[in-house]
mmCIF file of all heavy atoms in Angstrom:
data_model
loop_
_atom_site.group_PDB
_atom_site.id
_atom_site.type_symbol
_atom_site.label_atom_id
_atom_site.label_comp_id
_atom_site.label_asym_id
_atom_site.label_seq_id
_atom_site.Cartn_x
_atom_site.Cartn_y
_atom_site.Cartn_z
ATOM 1 N N ARG X 414 14.143 0.854 -5.788
ATOM 2 C CA ARG X 414 12.689 0.793 -5.714
ATOM 3 C C ARG X 414 12.155 -0.080 -4.587
ATOM 4 O O ARG X 414 10.951 -0.242 -4.436
ATOM 5 C CB ARG X 414 12.130 0.343 -7.065
ATOM 6 C CG ARG X 414 12.298 1.400 -8.133
ATOM 7 C CD ARG X 414 11.960 0.912 -9.519
ATOM 8 N NE ARG X 414 10.641 0.303 -9.574
ATOM 9 C CZ ARG X 414 10.143 -0.296 -10.647
ATOM 10 N NH1 ARG X 414 10.872 -0.384 -11.754
ATOM 11 N NH2 ARG X 414 8.934 -0.818 -10.627
ATOM 12 N N VAL X 415 13.056 -0.626 -3.779
ATOM 13 C CA VAL X 415 12.615 -1.281 -2.535
ATOM 14 C C VAL X 415 12.358 -0.176 -1.519
ATOM 15 O O VAL X 415 13.247 0.625 -1.212
ATOM 16 C CB VAL X 415 13.670 -2.266 -2.007
ATOM 17 C CG1 VAL X 415 13.220 -2.844 -0.663
ATOM 18 C CG2 VAL X 415 13.919 -3.374 -3.008
ATOM 19 N N VAL X 416 11.159 -0.104 -1.009
ATOM 20 C CA VAL X 416 10.765 0.978 -0.101
ATOM 21 C C VAL X 416 10.951 0.591 1.353
ATOM 22 O O VAL X 416 11.400 1.384 2.174
ATOM 23 C CB VAL X 416 9.293 1.375 -0.365
ATOM 24 C CG1 VAL X 416 8.797 2.374 0.679
ATOM 25 C CG2 VAL X 416 9.151 1.974 -1.758
ATOM 26 N N LEU X 417 10.599 -0.647 1.692
ATOM 27 C CA LEU X 417 10.678 -1.124 3.078
ATOM 28 C C LEU X 417 11.243 -2.534 3.114
ATOM 29 O O LEU X 417 11.001 -3.331 2.203
ATOM 30 C CB LEU X 417 9.285 -1.157 3.727
ATOM 31 C CG LEU X 417 8.528 0.151 3.924
ATOM 32 C CD1 LEU X 417 7.087 -0.142 4.308
ATOM 33 C CD2 LEU X 417 9.192 1.004 4.989
ATOM 34 N N ARG X 418 11.995 -2.839 4.191
ATOM 35 C CA ARG X 418 12.467 -4.203 4.433
ATOM 36 C C ARG X 418 12.089 -4.617 5.850
ATOM 37 O O ARG X 418 12.058 -3.793 6.775
ATOM 38 C CB ARG X 418 13.985 -4.294 4.266
ATOM 39 C CG ARG X 418 14.489 -4.051 2.855
ATOM 40 C CD ARG X 418 15.983 -4.335 2.781
ATOM 41 N NE ARG X 418 16.570 -3.802 1.570
ATOM 42 C CZ ARG X 418 16.590 -4.420 0.400
ATOM 43 N NH1 ARG X 418 16.034 -5.608 0.291
ATOM 44 N NH2 ARG X 418 17.141 -3.862 -0.649
ATOM 45 N N TYR X 419 11.832 -5.907 5.982
ATOM 46 C CA TYR X 419 11.526 -6.452 7.301
ATOM 47 C C TYR X 419 12.784 -6.517 8.157
ATOM 48 O O TYR X 419 13.864 -6.852 7.671
ATOM 49 C CB TYR X 419 10.935 -7.855 7.170
ATOM 50 C CG TYR X 419 9.586 -7.891 6.495
ATOM 51 C CD1 TYR X 419 9.431 -8.507 5.251
ATOM 52 C CD2 TYR X 419 8.473 -7.318 7.100
ATOM 53 C CE1 TYR X 419 8.189 -8.546 4.629
ATOM 54 C CE2 TYR X 419 7.239 -7.351 6.481
ATOM 55 C CZ TYR X 419 7.095 -7.962 5.249
ATOM 56 O OH TYR X 419 5.871 -7.995 4.620
ATOM 57 N N LEU X 420 12.615 -6.221 9.432
ATOM 58 C CA LEU X 420 13.685 -6.355 10.421
ATOM 59 C C LEU X 420 13.234 -7.320 11.512
ATOM 60 O O LEU X 420 12.042 -7.464 11.764
ATOM 61 C CB LEU X 420 14.017 -4.991 11.050
ATOM 62 C CG LEU X 420 14.613 -3.906 10.145
ATOM 63 C CD1 LEU X 420 14.756 -2.613 10.932
ATOM 64 C CD2 LEU X 420 15.946 -4.340 9.568
ATOM 65 N N GLY X 421 14.186 -7.964 12.143
ATOM 66 C CA GLY X 421 13.860 -8.848 13.251
ATOM 67 C C GLY X 421 13.237 -10.158 12.829
ATOM 68 O O GLY X 421 12.454 -10.759 13.573
ATOM 69 N N GLY X 422 13.565 -10.617 11.640
ATOM 70 C CA GLY X 422 13.019 -11.876 11.147
ATOM 71 C C GLY X 422 12.003 -11.648 10.052
ATOM 72 O O GLY X 422 11.162 -10.756 10.144
ATOM 73 N N ASN X 423 12.092 -12.447 9.017
ATOM 74 C CA ASN X 423 11.164 -12.346 7.891
ATOM 75 C C ASN X 423 9.852 -13.043 8.261
ATOM 76 O O ASN X 423 9.844 -14.242 8.547
ATOM 77 C CB ASN X 423 11.794 -13.008 6.662
ATOM 78 C CG ASN X 423 11.031 -12.756 5.387
ATOM 79 O OD1 ASN X 423 9.815 -12.834 5.366
ATOM 80 N ND2 ASN X 423 11.748 -12.468 4.314
ATOM 81 N N PRO X 424 8.724 -12.321 8.262
ATOM 82 C CA PRO X 424 7.476 -12.903 8.772
ATOM 83 C C PRO X 424 6.703 -13.770 7.792
ATOM 84 O O PRO X 424 5.770 -14.470 8.198
ATOM 85 C CB PRO X 424 6.650 -11.657 9.114
ATOM 86 C CG PRO X 424 7.093 -10.653 8.089
ATOM 87 C CD PRO X 424 8.575 -10.902 7.892
ATOM 88 N N ASN X 425 7.064 -13.733 6.509
ATOM 89 C CA ASN X 425 6.220 -14.420 5.536
ATOM 90 C C ASN X 425 6.974 -15.023 4.349
ATOM 91 O O ASN X 425 6.354 -15.556 3.422
ATOM 92 C CB ASN X 425 5.137 -13.473 5.013
ATOM 93 C CG ASN X 425 5.702 -12.118 4.629
ATOM 94 O OD1 ASN X 425 6.816 -12.033 4.115
ATOM 95 N ND2 ASN X 425 4.941 -11.063 4.872
ATOM 96 N N GLY X 426 8.298 -14.956 4.367
ATOM 97 C CA GLY X 426 9.076 -15.532 3.282
ATOM 98 C C GLY X 426 9.290 -14.618 2.096
ATOM 99 O O GLY X 426 9.684 -15.086 1.017
ATOM 100 N N SER X 427 9.032 -13.335 2.252
ATOM 101 C CA SER X 427 9.249 -12.394 1.156
ATOM 102 C C SER X 427 10.694 -12.433 0.689
ATOM 103 O O SER X 427 11.624 -12.451 1.500
ATOM 104 C CB SER X 427 8.904 -10.970 1.598
ATOM 105 O OG SER X 427 7.521 -10.807 1.792
ATOM 106 N N ARG X 428 10.896 -12.444 -0.624
ATOM 107 C CA ARG X 428 12.237 -12.462 -1.171
ATOM 108 C C ARG X 428 12.993 -11.212 -0.735
ATOM 109 O O ARG X 428 12.471 -10.101 -0.764
ATOM 110 C CB ARG X 428 12.195 -12.530 -2.703
ATOM 111 C CG ARG X 428 11.523 -13.785 -3.259
ATOM 112 C CD ARG X 428 12.254 -15.063 -2.853
ATOM 113 N NE ARG X 428 13.639 -15.022 -3.265
ATOM 114 C CZ ARG X 428 14.069 -15.369 -4.484
ATOM 115 N NH1 ARG X 428 13.205 -15.785 -5.392
ATOM 116 N NH2 ARG X 428 15.354 -15.321 -4.769
ATOM 117 N N ARG X 429 14.237 -11.434 -0.309
ATOM 118 C CA ARG X 429 15.149 -10.359 0.096
ATOM 119 C C ARG X 429 14.562 -9.450 1.180
ATOM 120 O O ARG X 429 14.886 -8.270 1.264
ATOM 121 C CB ARG X 429 15.581 -9.548 -1.127
ATOM 122 C CG ARG X 429 16.196 -10.424 -2.228
ATOM 123 C CD ARG X 429 16.866 -9.628 -3.312
ATOM 124 N NE ARG X 429 17.241 -10.500 -4.433
ATOM 125 C CZ ARG X 429 17.898 -10.086 -5.516
ATOM 126 N NH1 ARG X 429 18.273 -8.820 -5.622
ATOM 127 N NH2 ARG X 429 18.192 -10.928 -6.489
ATOM 128 N N ASP X 430 13.672 -10.000 1.990
ATOM 129 C CA ASP X 430 13.056 -9.283 3.120
ATOM 130 C C ASP X 430 12.272 -8.050 2.673
ATOM 131 O O ASP X 430 12.118 -7.086 3.437
ATOM 132 C CB ASP X 430 14.121 -8.866 4.154
ATOM 133 C CG ASP X 430 14.832 -10.048 4.778
ATOM 134 O OD1 ASP X 430 14.191 -11.105 4.925
ATOM 135 O OD2 ASP X 430 16.027 -9.924 5.108
ATOM 136 N N ILE X 431 11.756 -8.062 1.458
ATOM 137 C CA ILE X 431 11.050 -6.899 0.917
ATOM 138 C C ILE X 431 9.650 -6.796 1.509
ATOM 139 O O ILE X 431 8.844 -7.719 1.413
ATOM 140 C CB ILE X 431 10.976 -6.973 -0.620
ATOM 141 C CG1 ILE X 431 12.378 -6.810 -1.218
ATOM 142 C CG2 ILE X 431 10.030 -5.906 -1.171
ATOM 143 C CD1 ILE X 431 12.436 -7.007 -2.726
ATOM 144 N N ALA X 432 9.359 -5.642 2.108
ATOM 145 C CA ALA X 432 8.046 -5.382 2.687
ATOM 146 C C ALA X 432 7.243 -4.379 1.867
ATOM 147 O O ALA X 432 6.033 -4.238 2.064
ATOM 148 C CB ALA X 432 8.190 -4.856 4.114
ATOM 149 N N GLY X 433 7.902 -3.663 0.952
ATOM 150 C CA GLY X 433 7.204 -2.683 0.135
ATOM 151 C C GLY X 433 8.077 -2.223 -1.014
ATOM 152 O O GLY X 433 9.308 -2.207 -0.897
ATOM 153 N N ILE X 434 7.442 -1.871 -2.129
ATOM 154 C CA ILE X 434 8.170 -1.422 -3.320
ATOM 155 C C ILE X 434 7.449 -0.237 -3.940
ATOM 156 O O ILE X 434 6.319 0.094 -3.574
ATOM 157 C CB ILE X 434 8.304 -2.542 -4.381
ATOM 158 C CG1 ILE X 434 6.916 -3.013 -4.849
ATOM 159 C CG2 ILE X 434 9.123 -3.706 -3.834
ATOM 160 C CD1 ILE X 434 6.964 -3.994 -6.016
ATOM 161 N N THR X 435 8.110 0.404 -4.905
ATOM 162 C CA THR X 435 7.517 1.523 -5.627
ATOM 163 C C THR X 435 7.689 1.328 -7.124
ATOM 164 O O THR X 435 8.516 0.510 -7.563
ATOM 165 C CB THR X 435 8.162 2.852 -5.188
ATOM 166 O OG1 THR X 435 7.494 3.949 -5.840
ATOM 167 C CG2 THR X 435 9.638 2.900 -5.539
ATOM 168 N N ASN X 436 6.925 2.070 -7.888
ATOM 169 C CA ASN X 436 7.120 2.055 -9.331
ATOM 170 C C ASN X 436 8.285 2.965 -9.692
ATOM 171 O O ASN X 436 8.882 3.625 -8.834
ATOM 172 C CB ASN X 436 5.842 2.476 -10.074
ATOM 173 C CG ASN X 436 5.453 3.924 -9.825
ATOM 174 O OD1 ASN X 436 5.877 4.540 -8.848
ATOM 175 N ND2 ASN X 436 4.631 4.476 -10.700
ATOM 176 N N GLU X 437 8.620 3.015 -10.954
ATOM 177 C CA GLU X 437 9.790 3.781 -11.378
ATOM 178 C C GLU X 437 9.642 5.268 -11.081
ATOM 179 O O GLU X 437 10.607 5.939 -10.710
ATOM 180 C CB GLU X 437 10.031 3.569 -12.874
ATOM 181 C CG GLU X 437 11.321 4.185 -13.389
ATOM 182 C CD GLU X 437 11.588 3.855 -14.839
ATOM 183 O OE1 GLU X 437 10.733 3.182 -15.465
ATOM 184 O OE2 GLU X 437 12.643 4.244 -15.359
ATOM 185 N N ALA X 438 8.419 5.793 -11.210
ATOM 186 C CA ALA X 438 8.183 7.225 -11.004
ATOM 187 C C ALA X 438 8.103 7.609 -9.531
ATOM 188 O O ALA X 438 8.227 8.786 -9.180
ATOM 189 C CB ALA X 438 6.909 7.653 -11.719
ATOM 190 N N GLY X 439 7.869 6.632 -8.642
ATOM 191 C CA GLY X 439 7.807 6.920 -7.217
ATOM 192 C C GLY X 439 6.454 7.390 -6.725
ATOM 193 O O GLY X 439 6.316 7.739 -5.552
ATOM 194 N N ASN X 440 5.439 7.387 -7.593
ATOM 195 C CA ASN X 440 4.105 7.818 -7.158
ATOM 196 C C ASN X 440 3.214 6.668 -6.696
ATOM 197 O O ASN X 440 2.250 6.878 -5.976
ATOM 198 C CB ASN X 440 3.389 8.592 -8.271
ATOM 199 C CG ASN X 440 3.131 7.745 -9.510
ATOM 200 O OD1 ASN X 440 4.076 7.209 -10.103
ATOM 201 N ND2 ASN X 440 1.876 7.617 -9.906
ATOM 202 N N VAL X 441 3.572 5.438 -7.104
ATOM 203 C CA VAL X 441 2.801 4.261 -6.692
ATOM 204 C C VAL X 441 3.639 3.431 -5.727
ATOM 205 O O VAL X 441 4.762 3.044 -6.055
ATOM 206 C CB VAL X 441 2.404 3.399 -7.905
ATOM 207 C CG1 VAL X 441 1.641 2.153 -7.447
ATOM 208 C CG2 VAL X 441 1.562 4.204 -8.885
ATOM 209 N N VAL X 442 3.093 3.185 -4.548
ATOM 210 C CA VAL X 442 3.798 2.403 -3.526
ATOM 211 C C VAL X 442 2.873 1.302 -3.014
ATOM 212 O O VAL X 442 1.689 1.538 -2.752
ATOM 213 C CB VAL X 442 4.252 3.294 -2.350
ATOM 214 C CG1 VAL X 442 4.740 2.444 -1.169
ATOM 215 C CG2 VAL X 442 5.351 4.248 -2.795
ATOM 216 N N GLY X 443 3.410 0.105 -2.890
ATOM 217 C CA GLY X 443 2.679 -0.996 -2.282
ATOM 218 C C GLY X 443 3.467 -1.554 -1.115
ATOM 219 O O GLY X 443 4.689 -1.693 -1.198
ATOM 220 N N LEU X 444 2.790 -1.838 -0.018
ATOM 221 C CA LEU X 444 3.458 -2.403 1.154
ATOM 222 C C LEU X 444 2.523 -3.364 1.856
ATOM 223 O O LEU X 444 1.302 -3.212 1.807
ATOM 224 C CB LEU X 444 3.915 -1.305 2.112
ATOM 225 C CG LEU X 444 2.853 -0.511 2.869
ATOM 226 C CD1 LEU X 444 3.455 0.103 4.131
ATOM 227 C CD2 LEU X 444 2.257 0.607 2.013
ATOM 228 N N MET X 445 3.088 -4.376 2.480
ATOM 229 C CA MET X 445 2.285 -5.377 3.179
ATOM 230 C C MET X 445 1.914 -4.934 4.591
ATOM 231 O O MET X 445 0.777 -5.173 5.029
ATOM 232 C CB MET X 445 3.033 -6.717 3.196
ATOM 233 C CG MET X 445 2.207 -7.897 3.676
ATOM 234 S SD MET X 445 0.558 -8.130 2.935
ATOM 235 C CE MET X 445 0.925 -8.151 1.185
ATOM 236 N N PRO X 446 2.778 -4.283 5.362
ATOM 237 C CA PRO X 446 2.378 -3.807 6.699
ATOM 238 C C PRO X 446 1.312 -2.714 6.617
ATOM 239 O O PRO X 446 1.051 -2.152 5.552
ATOM 240 C CB PRO X 446 3.692 -3.269 7.281
ATOM 241 C CG PRO X 446 4.765 -3.922 6.482
ATOM 242 C CD PRO X 446 4.207 -4.053 5.102
ATOM 243 N N HIS X 447 0.720 -2.394 7.767
ATOM 244 C CA HIS X 447 -0.439 -1.496 7.843
ATOM 245 C C HIS X 447 -0.116 -0.179 8.557
ATOM 246 O O HIS X 447 -0.350 -0.056 9.761
ATOM 247 C CB HIS X 447 -1.573 -2.191 8.588
ATOM 248 C CG HIS X 447 -2.259 -3.258 7.802
ATOM 249 N ND1 HIS X 447 -3.421 -3.043 7.099
ATOM 250 C CD2 HIS X 447 -1.938 -4.562 7.587
ATOM 251 C CE1 HIS X 447 -3.798 -4.161 6.505
ATOM 252 N NE2 HIS X 447 -2.910 -5.107 6.778
ATOM 253 N N PRO X 448 0.346 0.833 7.843
ATOM 254 C CA PRO X 448 0.634 2.114 8.503
ATOM 255 C C PRO X 448 -0.609 2.798 9.055
ATOM 256 O O PRO X 448 -0.514 3.589 10.010
ATOM 257 C CB PRO X 448 1.275 2.947 7.383
ATOM 258 C CG PRO X 448 0.756 2.359 6.114
ATOM 259 C CD PRO X 448 0.647 0.885 6.394
ATOM 260 N N GLU X 449 -1.775 2.510 8.478
ATOM 261 C CA GLU X 449 -3.003 3.165 8.953
ATOM 262 C C GLU X 449 -3.378 2.728 10.360
ATOM 263 O O GLU X 449 -4.201 3.379 11.023
ATOM 264 C CB GLU X 449 -4.160 2.897 7.980
ATOM 265 C CG GLU X 449 -4.823 1.551 8.079
ATOM 266 C CD GLU X 449 -4.058 0.428 7.392
ATOM 267 O OE1 GLU X 449 -2.865 0.603 7.043
ATOM 268 O OE2 GLU X 449 -4.644 -0.653 7.209
ATOM 269 N N HIS X 450 -2.772 1.630 10.838
ATOM 270 C CA HIS X 450 -3.018 1.174 12.212
ATOM 271 C C HIS X 450 -1.993 1.727 13.196
ATOM 272 O O HIS X 450 -1.989 1.332 14.364
ATOM 273 C CB HIS X 450 -2.985 -0.358 12.267
ATOM 274 C CG HIS X 450 -4.099 -1.012 11.513
ATOM 275 N ND1 HIS X 450 -5.343 -0.446 11.361
ATOM 276 C CD2 HIS X 450 -4.153 -2.201 10.849
ATOM 277 C CE1 HIS X 450 -6.116 -1.250 10.648
ATOM 278 N NE2 HIS X 450 -5.413 -2.319 10.313
ATOM 279 N N ALA X 451 -1.154 2.625 12.721
ATOM 280 C CA ALA X 451 -0.130 3.205 13.607
ATOM 281 C C ALA X 451 -0.066 4.711 13.392
ATOM 282 O O ALA X 451 0.958 5.266 13.003
ATOM 283 C CB ALA X 451 1.234 2.571 13.336
ATOM 284 N N VAL X 452 -1.194 5.366 13.644
ATOM 285 C CA VAL X 452 -1.248 6.827 13.490
ATOM 286 C C VAL X 452 -1.653 7.529 14.779
ATOM 287 O O VAL X 452 -1.564 8.751 14.873
ATOM 288 C CB VAL X 452 -2.211 7.234 12.351
ATOM 289 C CG1 VAL X 452 -1.729 6.689 11.011
ATOM 290 C CG2 VAL X 452 -3.641 6.787 12.625
ATOM 291 N N GLU X 453 -2.091 6.768 15.776
ATOM 292 C CA GLU X 453 -2.495 7.334 17.065
ATOM 293 C C GLU X 453 -2.022 6.426 18.192
ATOM 294 O O GLU X 453 -2.098 5.197 18.078
ATOM 295 C CB GLU X 453 -4.020 7.491 17.140
ATOM 296 C CG GLU X 453 -4.587 8.480 16.134
ATOM 297 C CD GLU X 453 -6.098 8.543 16.215
ATOM 298 O OE1 GLU X 453 -6.753 7.543 15.861
ATOM 299 O OE2 GLU X 453 -6.620 9.591 16.626
ATOM 300 N N THR X 454 -1.560 7.011 19.264
ATOM 301 C CA THR X 454 -1.046 6.215 20.379
ATOM 302 C C THR X 454 -2.147 5.409 21.068
ATOM 303 O O THR X 454 -1.875 4.386 21.694
ATOM 304 C CB THR X 454 -0.360 7.116 21.422
ATOM 305 O OG1 THR X 454 -1.274 8.146 21.832
ATOM 306 C CG2 THR X 454 0.893 7.763 20.838
#
Side-chain angles (χ1 to χ4, degrees):
R414 290 171 53 185
V415 176
V416 173
L417 296 168
R418 294 187 195 275
Y419 294 114
L420 295 175
N423 190 316
N425 47 36
S427 290
R428 298 298 304 275
R429 305 191 189 183
D430 298 328
I431 292 174
I434 60 173
T435 184
N436 66 340
E437 187 175 3
N440 63 302
V441 178
V442 169
L444 69 157
M445 190 49 54
H447 286 264
E449 79 280 14
H450 294 329
V452 298
E453 296 177 292
T454 55

